[in-house]
Amino acid sequence: MTEARLVARPAAASHVDMVWIPGGQFLMGSNSHYPEEAPAHRVAVGGFWMDRTTVTNAEFRRFVEASGYVTLAERPANAADYPGASAEALAPASALFVRPPRSIDRNNHYNWWAYVRGANWRHPRGPASGLKGLENHPVVHIAYEDAEAYASWAGKALPTEAEWEFAARGGLDGADFVWGDELTPGGQHMANTYQGEFPYHNDCEDGYEWTAPVGSFPANGCGLYDMAGNVWQWTADWYQEHRRIESPCCTMDNPRGGERDASYDPLTPDIRIPRKVTKGGSFLCAPSYCRRYRPAARMAQPVDTSTCHLGFRCIARSV
């Protein structure tokens, strides 16, 4: 495994291109959509700064050039972590969306996902692709440790799930979307999502088939861009179901997620890979399949996995 070589981080987090989120109370989760979002419960968070956009390819390149960091997708997997795996399976790779040519069984996500050798942040759409023209797009194929390394180098941190959701709602407590309760108000697309029959036909009515440049859609009430769609975003919290939270009837102050060893996905109990909460949905979220471009939506993402629709943004808690 290639070790990262990190240079000293900046002395303090810069608040340039960040937005101050003053904190407050809100209703976290939802009782009206996917079961892992329930029960909705009252939460309070303190104030923090948050990146106005997700981290871009240009920003991540500056980090890599300054530090020599090598992402998880660019390194061979550790054979000890995957007993019995072949050398081919351990080669550097990342998960890439591969659109099928026709309608297929949507109960099997391997019908459109594949681990592709050479797919990584430098080659977001496969080994033959590059970053030319994508400098202002969100960096993708980022595993949790990669996001954490960038945040540490920048003197920042990753948000908790509660911080992320509070900021995403932009003052619209309980609304379905970060802009209100209608998916396309007045026919306007408010985020980069998937239109058409997922996964084989995308109408691209919003103008994008893959990622969009950050800030291509309207900001939310806090002045934050892309808090819905474009790319999923890492949070610092280990995944747990909301129903396991103690005393969800009471307002919780600055809650954190569950325990690492209990963070596995309940839908796949035999796969005991720790998972963090990701938020926001992506360009692959479609009304016909996945309505997770809402602030309450959440996914349990394995920490050892990077994908072509997963990135991050940072926060800073100092004033």
Side-chain angles (χ1 to χ4, degrees):
M1 178 179 293
T2 304
E3 295 294 334
R5 303 186 308 280
L6 293 180
V7 298
R9 71 184 188 184
S14 169
H15 297 153
V16 175
D17 294 326
M18 301 185 84
V19 174
W20 174 248
I21 310 297
Q25 293 190 17
F26 75 109
L27 192 64
M28 185 175 181
S30 171
N31 296 324
S32 304
H33 295 280
Y34 295 105
E36 68 271 12
E37 302 169 19
H41 51 288
R42 185 62 57 179
V43 163
V45 297
F48 56 94
W49 293 89
M50 179 172 260
D51 287 346
R52 192 178 300 274
T53 71
T54 50
V55 174
T56 65
N57 286 312
E59 290 169 330
F60 198 78
R61 183 189 292 277
R62 285 195 289 272
F63 157 61
V64 169
E65 290 176 349
S67 67
Y69 184 81
V70 179
T71 63
L72 189 66
E74 297 173 282
R75 305 177 229 150
N78 187 346
D81 293 335
Y82 305 94
S86 66
E88 176 72 17
L90 297 173
S94 189
L96 187 67
F97 173 73
V98 181
R99 183 169 57 192
R102 63 186 67 84
S103 179
I104 43 79
D105 177 11
R106 295 200 303 200
N107 292 317
N108 182 4
H109 65 269
Y110 290 110
N111 283 328
W112 58 86
W113 283 108
Y115 278 98
V116 176
R117 292 185 64 171
N120 54 55
W121 77 273
R122 302 176 191 270
H123 306 285
R125 302 174 191 175
S129 68
L131 295 180
K132 185 177 181 179
L134 301 179
E135 293 83 0
N136 201 36
H137 285 236
V139 65
V140 292
H141 296 291
I142 298 299
Y144 181 77
E145 65 188 68
D146 306 328
E148 195 172 43
Y150 176 98
S152 178
W153 171 81
K156 300 180 182 180
L158 296 178
T160 66
E161 181 181 6
E163 289 170 331
W164 193 100
E165 187 170 330
F166 177 76
R169 291 187 177 279
L172 298 180
D173 197 13
D176 273 354
F177 307 106
V178 305
W179 53 83
D181 288 316
E182 186 178 352
L183 178 59
T184 53
Q188 180 182 4
H189 287 280
M190 303 294 287
N192 180 16
T193 59
Y194 194 106
Q195 300 86 51
E197 287 300 317
F198 184 86
Y200 72 96
H201 178 73
N202 189 345
D203 293 325
C204 297
E205 294 174 357
D206 59 12
Y208 300 97
E209 182 176 6
W210 291 79
T211 56
V214 298
S216 294
F217 294 86
N220 74 350
C222 289
L224 300 169
Y225 292 92
D226 302 318
M227 296 301 278
N230 219 16
V231 294
W232 284 95
Q233 299 171 42
W234 287 106
T235 75
D237 284 353
W238 295 111
Y239 180 84
Q240 74 170 352
E241 293 179 285
H242 284 337
R243 64 180 176 83
R244 295 188 178 182
I245 298 172
E246 294 183 10
S247 302
C249 60
C250 305
T251 299
M252 303 177 66
D253 290 329
N254 295 306
R256 295 303 309 264
E259 299 295 325
R260 180 185 187 276
D261 292 342
S263 65
Y264 66 90
D265 189 342
L267 298 178
T268 56
D270 296 331
I271 303 175
R272 310 290 289 196
I273 299 171
R275 296 170 185 247
K276 293 283 187 174
V277 177
T278 57
K279 301 283 283 184
S282 79
F283 64 88
L284 293 176
C285 284
S288 62
Y289 178 72
C290 170
R291 300 184 74 250
R292 287 189 168 88
Y293 35 66
R294 297 170 295 98
R298 55 206 301 264
M299 290 286 284
Q301 179 68 21
V303 295
D304 70 341
T305 302
S306 59
T307 74
C308 66
H309 69 336
L310 176 56
F312 69 106
R313 74 176 74 213
C314 298
I315 67 165
R317 296 188 180 94
S318 63
V319 296

